Amino acid sequence: HLGNETIKAELGRASWKLFHTILARYPEKPTAEEREALSSYIYLFSRVYPCGECASHFQKLLKKFPPQTSSRIAASQWGCHVHNQVNSRLGKAIFDCGTIAETYQCGCDNDVGATET
Ligand code: FAD
């Protein structure tokens, strides 16, 4: 059904946007608590994601590629890698993970490199 596919894609784009933005703004030197929070968030996300087929594939991906939480770079590159795994399964183009930091900004006040508006 085309309508459902369109809605699923829209949810996917919104979700990936939030997902990559969180990872691109994750601390460069996270504390043990911050690492635990990110890891929990990702596993809980994979359980509550409302497209059941997507959630179950994503849970399998997390088993194969557990979340990397040791640093901002590790986390954001991991996120890019797992999204590319999904891209590849869906026959989509592979994204260049070198551009993650510029692509995903949050507009947060104290962000280095944030675009002034
Ligand atoms: P999207 O894949 O939504 O990407 C949005 C934008 O992010 C792209 O335009 C590009 O600018 C950027 N981007 C692309 N790749 C990367 C990357 N590797 N790293 C960083 N940025 C990137 N749909 C299904 O039909 N079946 C599924 O099983 C399925 N599983 C999903 C699982 C999860 C966890 C999520 C969040 C979504 C899932 N989706 C699934 C939706 C699917 O991944 C897409 O979001 C949707 O098809 C729309 O695709 P899109 O081509 O607009 O780009």
Side-chain angles (χ1 to χ4, degrees), residues 67-87:
Q68 300 297 303
T69 62
S70 62
S71 68
R72 175 181 294 180
I73 285 178
S76 59
Q77 291 299 309
W78 167 84
C80 187
H81 175 72
V82 292
H83 189 170
N84 273 336
Q85 295 287 316
V86 175
N87 288 342

Side-chain angles (χ1 to χ4, degrees), residues 8-9 12-13 15-16 20 45 49 53-54 57-58 80 83-84 86-87 89-90 92 95 100 104:
K8 186 160 64 165
R13 281 190 287 275
S15 302
W16 286 124
H20 292 301
F45 170 82
Y49 195 75
E53 163 211 359
C54 310
H57 279 125
F58 197 60
C80 187
H83 189 170
N84 273 336
V86 175
N87 288 342
R89 187 168 52 78
L90 299 178
K92 293 177 190 284
F95 188 84
I100 283 280
Y104 295 97

Side-chain angles (χ1 to χ4, degrees), residues 1-60:
H1 189 274
L2 183 62
N4 284 342
E5 286 305 313
T6 304
I7 294 167
K8 186 160 64 165
E10 207 169 277
L11 176 67
R13 281 190 287 275
S15 302
W16 286 124
K17 171 92 175 172
L18 175 61
F19 182 80
H20 292 301
T21 305
I22 287 173
L23 299 178
R25 298 296 130 188
Y26 180 69
E28 284 167 11
K29 292 181 180 171
T31 63
E33 278 188 352
E34 286 166 336
R35 295 187 63 173
E36 173 55 30
L38 182 63
S39 181
S40 300
Y41 179 83
I42 291 164
Y43 282 109
L44 290 170
F45 170 82
S46 81
R47 285 171 52 191
V48 301
Y49 195 75
C51 154
E53 163 211 359
C54 310
S56 105
H57 279 125
F58 197 60
Q59 285 167 26
K60 283 186 196 132

